Amino acid sequence: EAGVTQFPSHSVIEKGQTVTLRCDPISGHDNLYWYRRVMGKEIKFLLHFVKESKQDESGMPNNRFLAERTGGTYSTLKVQPAELEDSGVYFCASSQEIGGLGVNTEAFFGQGTRLTVV
Amino acid sequence: GNSVTQMEGPVTLSEEAFLTINCTYTATGYPSLFWYVQYPGEGLQLLLKATKADDKGSNKGFEATYRKETTSFHLEKGSVQVSDSAVYFCALSDRTQGGYSTLTFGKGTMLLVSP
């Protein structure tokens, strides 16, 4: 079974440009999460989809970040325009929970996309 | 809010040495606790977890016990191998308003094991 896959694995862009990151969750997982790790700091929660709906986007840093999950399958995270402080590793994770009872459900992570803004 | 504090790295050990990576947490309610590991070039993998006080999670020779009285979840291994070299993240999971769980991570601790 395929795991969570993320594209690209690494992206280098100039300040002011636009970048779109993609995440394909494990098939059948309703929950999809985006996290970000800035160099030397914690992995921070960005947002959470349940199917195609945004359940929680409290971690999104500002309106330059736009996440979508069309049809409840793959998700994209667009940064426009990118700033230097957006550099970091962006992780996607998916999980399968039933009825909101799943605090113990394992989240499966992708390899991450390393974004470098120069 | 929730937070996780883990020891700064890198931790450098010789093969077969004993490993401890400290982790303490602050949370409202009763979170589940996790250790994730990221091997070079790979994604985050769940190493072990514990869902209630005094539970011990274990996997691949690693252990951690959920200590509510000290709000800790220290990772230990009796004899490390070179292949254990990786970054280790302590994390907790608590419910959000919608009843689903998200993860709060520590900064990560790099472990380097030499032969």
Side-chain angles (χ1 to χ4, degrees):
Chain A
E1 180 183 341
V4 177
T5 53
Q6 295 186 242
F7 305 96
S9 57
H10 192 184
S11 179
V12 181
I13 62 171
E14 292 185 350
K15 176 182 172 181
Q17 289 186 321
T18 297
V19 63
T20 300
L21 313 181
R22 172 170 169 146
C23 170
D24 287 73
I26 293 173
S27 177
H29 281 193
D30 289 340
N31 294 281
L32 188 149
Y33 305 84
W34 283 99
Y35 292 84
R36 175 176 74 170
R37 186 187 189 204
V38 173
M39 181 66 72
K41 298 196 174 181
E42 298 90 345
I43 299 172
K44 292 249 187 197
F45 167 77
L46 296 179
L47 88 159
H48 171 205
F49 284 99
V50 178
K51 297 184 180 178
E52 68 276 9
S53 300
K54 292 177 185 174
Q55 178 72 23
D56 180 357
E57 52 184 331
S58 61
M60 294 288 264
N62 52 61
N63 59 11
R64 295 185 293 102
F65 289 75
L66 175 64
E68 294 180 327
R69 191 180 182 194
T70 306
T73 55
Y74 70 91
S75 174
T76 57
L77 179 64
K78 179 189 288 187
V79 185
Q80 180 182 28
E83 298 289 345
L84 299 179
E85 64 265 25
D86 300 332
S87 296
V89 180
Y90 290 76
F91 291 101
C92 175
S94 71
S95 72
Q96 188 172 34
E97 299 179 28
I98 301 173
L101 301 177
V103 289
N104 301 331
T105 303
E106 178 180 354
F108 293 86
F109 281 79
Q111 291 185 324
T113 294
R114 180 176 297 279
L115 175 64
T116 304
V117 183
V118 297
Chain B
N2 297 337
S3 67
V4 174
T5 302
Q6 58 183 109
M7 59 191 293
E8 298 276 336
V11 173
T12 304
L13 295 173
S14 298
E15 205 165 25
E16 299 183 2
F18 183 85
L19 168 71
T20 300
I21 300 178
N22 291 336
C23 172
T24 57
Y25 68 90
T26 302
T28 55
Y30 299 95
S32 296
L33 302 175
F34 306 83
W35 277 100
Y36 280 84
V37 58
Q38 185 179 21
Y39 297 103
E42 299 184 14
L44 287 167
Q45 301 174 26
L46 178 64
L47 180 60
L48 52 85
K49 68 179 181 183
T51 59
K52 61 183 186 296
D54 299 325
D55 267 4
K56 178 186 284 187
S58 61
N59 185 26
K60 299 182 180 180
F62 291 89
E63 292 183 341
T65 301
Y66 190 142
R67 301 288 188 197
K68 187 169 181 292
E69 64 277 13
T70 55
T71 62
S72 65
F73 193 55
H74 305 322
L75 182 68
E76 296 182 336
K77 186 175 185 181
S79 176
V80 294
Q81 305 299 312
V82 173
S83 57
D84 294 327
S85 297
V87 181
Y88 292 81
F89 295 90
C90 186
L92 68 83
S93 174
D94 205 347
R95 291 186 186 273
T96 62
Q97 288 184 344
Y100 295 90
S101 57
T102 59
L103 291 162
T104 300
F105 287 91
K107 290 185 177 182
T109 302
M110 179 177 287
L111 171 65
L112 300 170
V113 181
S114 57

